[in-house]
Each structure stands twice: as structure tokens, then as C-alpha cells.
Amino acid sequence: MTTPDAAPPAFPMFVSVEEARTLLRQLLPERQTETVALASAFGRTLAADLVAKVSHPSATESALDGIACREADTLRASREQPVRLRLIGESRAGLAFAGTVGPGEAVRIYTGAPLPQGADAICPVEQLQDDGDGILLLRPASPSDVRQEGGDFTAGETVLHAGARLTPARVALAAALGHAEVPTLKPLRVAVMSTGDEVIEPGQPLGAGQVYNSNAYGLLGLLREAGCEAALLPAAPDSPEALEEALAGIGGADVLLTSGGVSMGKYDFVRDLLIQEGQVSFWKVRMRPGGPAMLGGWKGLPVFGLPGNPVSSLVVFQVIVRPALTGQPLSSLRLRAGTPFRGLADKTAFWRAEVRGSQVFDYGKQGSGVLRSLSDAGALVVMPEGGAAAVGDEVDVVLLD
Ligand code: AMP
Ligand code: MG
């Protein structure tokens, strides 16, 4: 058993949030690349730039259903004095009109259909009236309803860049660029293990002094959101032997996330195992909640020890682990404080807060065991060491949803 206040430790203690992220990044394995079909690409990170194989639109086309004609013929069209044009054919998506639109002529056209030769404007169907072999325009045709070839992107253009997260919009864009498969970073395989004699799985009756394992489920979801392959391990009891046995059974993970067992208590054996039998990269982060977090390695496996308190474990994941795993910076926005936010002299504070309109309000219950606060609050206000905000001041806000 380590007595934390004995000899000075041989590893960094009380690191900053930024240092903690950097140290975790350094322990992670080099990412391999893997080319996957578009249908499997969502949530991954692009490993190389993507160049457009085609232009979009691939031809100049109509943005609306209506008629294509020459704008100059229609400038005086109005509801009172419609302009009549002669219909000479139609252009539909996938089947262009072969001829040329001359003065006084129009071609029926549909959304996405190629603009015929000679035409330069569209009048929408809502502004048209049939008139035998002609058509009446109730307002002028407009060139702004013509989509120019390559107006979105042109063939050969680099449109998506290596490192981009493949959101649904970017997967759709990759498809439009003409890529059936995309080079991606292979997802990190992350094992999740809760620790604690009192931790049991939901679904069983709760005995005296027990608590349902909530951390593992929150972490699992966060890992999936972060594009990782996550595996849930059975919770380990508070005994050095049991912990060692559980760790020895982990195969095929790039990193292990534990929760619990890294604080100052007698039964915090994750801490002891890493200090005595593994390596420690840091212990304790200058943050609240989440101060007890620990990073180390055990027989070549990077181990990030999250605190057991539910709010702490999830906040440490959001602000340290996720940015390190994804390589994406923690994204935040600036909003005005609707309530005061205090700072802590020597810690970065992450206060649970609610965004309403353009303002952010203190959630109130800031205890690290108040699990519903994370669910209700939806945001964290980041208060730097020694900072403070009065009502009306701008603060950094991390959105959780
Ligand atoms: P520890 O960090 O192990 O001292 O745990 C701190 C607090 O978090 C204790 O109240 C634990 O019961 C609680 N806790 C630990 N692990 C979990 C878990 N997986 N789910 C919910 N609460 C937990
Ligand atoms: Mg514990």
C-alpha cells in the first residue's frame, strides 16, 4: 500500500488538463489506416485528403420545376400582364432537351434537369399558366434558379481533408465526390472496466452499500461517439489479486479505461497496481471535478484511471480522454454568463451549466456524485485556474449533447 505522503513520487503529480491530454496522446499506439466502404465510414476519421472525381452539379441545371427560357424575353412579365412563350419540348433529370431555346421559346424543365442550350433562366411552375401550345409567365424568369456546373465543387478539387471527422454530412459529401470507399484511421480498441466492491450491474436488487455501475455505460456511449471500438469488461472488485487477474485477461485492446480506485483511499488498488507494478505517467489533474485521475501503463497496455465518482469520470473523459483519442481539440463556444461562475485558485473548473438562449446558467448542484446533473445540464462552463465570471461576462462553454 502506498502512503501518498511518504517519499516524493517518481512521476508528475497535479498536471494541467492540457498536460494530461498530451501525456495520454503520447501513450497511444500509432494509428493504422484502413480503407472502408462508405456505409461503414460514419464516425471515423479521414486518413487522407479526398479529391472530387467529378463536378457537382455535373452540368448546369435547374434548381426548380418550371420552364427554362431566355431571361430577356420575360423581364416585363407580371400577374396583370403575363408574357407568353411557345413550348418546344422538355428537359428532365437524366434526359436532356437536345435542341436550342430561341427567342420567345420555352422548355418545360424539372429539378436537376440540364439547362437547354440558349436558355439562361428559370420560371417556377407556381408562376406559370398553361395556354394551349404556349405558357404564360406571371413573373420574370430568374437566372438565380440555375445551378451552374461545378457550383458546389469541381472535378480535381480537394474537398475533404485528412483528419476530418466523418460526420453524416461528410460521408454524404464523400459519396457525391465519387468515392465508394474512403481511407480512414483504424478505430482505437478501448476496454472499459469499472472497479469497486460496491459496484453491481443494473437489473439486480441493490444491496446495502451498493451502487449500480453507471460509469461503464456512460463511457461506452462516449467511446462510440468518439469513433472507438469499445468493449465492456466485468467490474473488478477491490483486491490487488482480482485486479491483476482482470488486467491479465484483457486481450486486443489499445487502451484500458478504468473507473474508481485511483483516489487516496486504502482500497484504491488501481492506483497501487500502476505505482507498484506498472508505470505512472501522471497522477492527479488540476481540475474539478476529476482531480484524482491517473494515467499509466501495465505490461505495455496504456491504462487511464478515471475517478469513480460518476460526474468526475464522465467529465474527465470529455475534456481529457476524448480529445486525446480523437485527435480533435475540445470544442467550445463563448456565451454570456447568466449567473456568476467562480474559479478555483489552482484548478480548472468545469461547472455543469444550462444554456438558455445566448446565455449560460450555473446548474447549481455541483457535487461529483450528482449524476442527473450531467444529464440535465447539457453543458460545462470552463473556468481557468484563478478565473471568475460575473453576470454578463463571456465564458467558454463545452456542449455535452
Ligand atoms: P472511488 O473513486 O473508487 O473512490 O469511487 C468514488 C465514488 O464513486 C464512490 O461513491 C463509488 O461508489 C462511486 N463509483 C465508483 N465506481 C462507480 C461506477 N462504476 N458507477 C457508479 N458509481 C461508481
Ligand atoms: Mg472504489
Side-chain angles (χ1 to χ4, degrees):
M1 168 67 203
T2 306
T3 45
D5 51 1
F11 44 81
M13 288 192 70
F14 300 102
V15 298
S16 68
V17 171
E18 187 53 52
E19 286 164 338
R21 268 184 219 133
T22 305
L23 289 165
L24 174 55
R25 224 174 272 140
Q26 287 168 357
L27 275 199
L28 294 175
E30 179 92 37
R31 297 292 289 275
Q32 293 175 332
T33 65
E34 185 177 41
T35 297
V36 296
L38 272 190
S40 307
F42 168 69
R44 290 192 173 215
T45 299
L46 202 55
D49 292 352
L50 279 194
V51 171
K53 296 184 183 222
V54 294
S55 298
H56 184 257
S58 58
T60 297
E61 63 185 31
S62 176
L64 299 169
D65 296 328
I67 54 124
C69 58
R70 300 159 87 104
E71 184 192 16
D73 292 346
T74 69
L75 294 176
R76 282 177 295 117
S78 68
R79 212 156 264 282
E80 297 71 37
Q81 284 189 303
V83 165
R84 187 176 192 281
L85 298 175
R86 197 162 59 82
L87 276 172
I88 58 165
E90 79 169 12
S91 175
R92 35 196 286 216
L95 190 63
F97 175 72
T100 299
V101 175
E105 293 177 339
V107 159
R108 277 199 196 280
I109 197 162
Y110 302 94
T111 305
L115 191 75
Q117 286 284 328
D120 60 8
I122 304 291
C123 189
V125 68
E126 294 81 0
Q127 303 294 333
L128 300 175
Q129 273 171 13
D130 288 339
D131 188 34
D133 64 350
I135 191 100
L136 297 175
L137 281 69
L138 308 183
R139 71 147 167 82
S142 167
S144 66
D145 291 323
V146 173
R147 296 177 184 153
Q148 295 300 328
E149 176 182 342
D152 192 356
F153 50 79
T154 55
E157 187 180 344
T158 299
V159 179
L160 283 168
H161 295 272
R165 278 264 294 157
L166 289 167
T167 57
R170 293 190 183 126
V171 175
L173 182 53
L177 300 178
H179 295 271
E181 42 185 35
V182 284
T184 65
L185 296 182
K186 215 170 169 186
L188 286 168
R189 296 163 308 167
V190 184
V192 177
M193 187 171 77
S194 302
T195 72
D197 287 336
E198 77 284 27
V199 175
I200 66 159
E201 287 304 303
Q204 309 170 45
L206 194 71
Q210 292 186 321
V211 64
Y212 287 127
N213 183 3
S214 57
N215 292 353
Y217 296 96
L219 293 169
L220 204 59
L222 288 168
L223 284 165
R224 289 187 180 147
E225 274 184 0
C228 296
E229 237 170 59
L232 199 55
L233 305 175
D238 288 319
S239 100
E241 299 75 28
L243 208 54
E244 208 162 322
E245 198 182 309
L247 282 170
I250 298 172
D254 296 314
V255 55
L256 169 68
L257 297 185
T258 59
S259 85
V262 290
S263 293
M264 302 288 283
K266 181 175 165 193
Y267 299 100
D268 288 328
F269 290 120
V270 175
R271 173 203 66 205
D272 287 354
L273 195 73
L274 292 183
I275 292 176
Q276 288 161 13
E277 292 183 38
Q279 306 82 44
V280 179
S281 294
F282 69 77
W283 184 27
K284 295 181 185 287
V285 184
R286 297 198 310 276
M287 67 184 287
R288 185 186 296 170
M294 178 178 245
L295 173 67
W298 192 82
K299 298 195 175 167
L301 176 69
V303 179
F304 196 102
L306 295 158
N309 271 309
V311 172
S312 308
S313 77
L314 298 184
V315 169
V316 170
F317 183 94
Q318 301 262 18
V319 305
I320 296 176
V321 181
R322 188 216 298 270
L325 295 182
T326 60
Q328 310 283 335
L330 181 65
S331 72
S332 64
L333 59 156
R334 302 278 289 170
L335 291 175
R336 290 208 185 277
T339 49
F341 287 94
R342 71 191 175 99
L344 302 169
D346 51 358
K347 292 182 171 89
T348 305
F350 297 90
W351 302 126
R352 274 142 284 158
E354 289 173 281
V355 174
R356 276 180 254 140
S358 60
Q359 283 183 300
V360 61
F361 298 81
D362 191 336
Y363 175 76
K365 293 181 186 166
Q366 297 290 345
S368 53
V370 189
L371 194 44
R372 66 191 286 176
S373 65
L374 267 188
S375 158
D376 289 349
L380 297 172
V381 163
V382 185
M383 191 51 63
E385 292 179 23
V391 172
D393 287 352
E394 278 200 347
V395 290
D396 276 328
V397 181
V398 174
L399 298 180
L400 298 174
D401 292 330

